Amino acid sequence: MHSNKYDTVKRYYSLKLWNDTKVRNAVVKGWITEAEFAEITGKAY
């Protein structure tokens, strides 16, 4: 089970509308978790 905004953040990242910084900001805002950040970007939070 993923966070509510996970699919949105993943889609924006995959379409290159968002970069790593924007995805990191989504973690700060509580939209996704640190683990989901790593899953989306392939990088450690």
Side-chain angles (χ1 to χ4, degrees):
M1 186 80 180
H2 289 113
S3 302
N4 289 337
K5 299 271 188 177
Y6 173 84
D7 290 331
T8 302
V9 174
K10 184 175 181 180
R11 183 170 62 249
Y12 288 175
Y13 185 78
S14 68
L15 292 172
K16 300 191 189 309
L17 298 174
W18 282 19
N19 58 18
D20 292 348
T21 302
K22 293 241 185 190
V23 179
R24 189 176 301 274
N25 288 340
V27 175
V28 173
K29 290 180 181 182
W31 286 15
I32 60 171
T33 65
E34 291 179 14
E36 289 169 338
F37 172 89
E39 192 176 325
I40 291 169
T41 65
K43 301 173 185 172
Y45 181 78

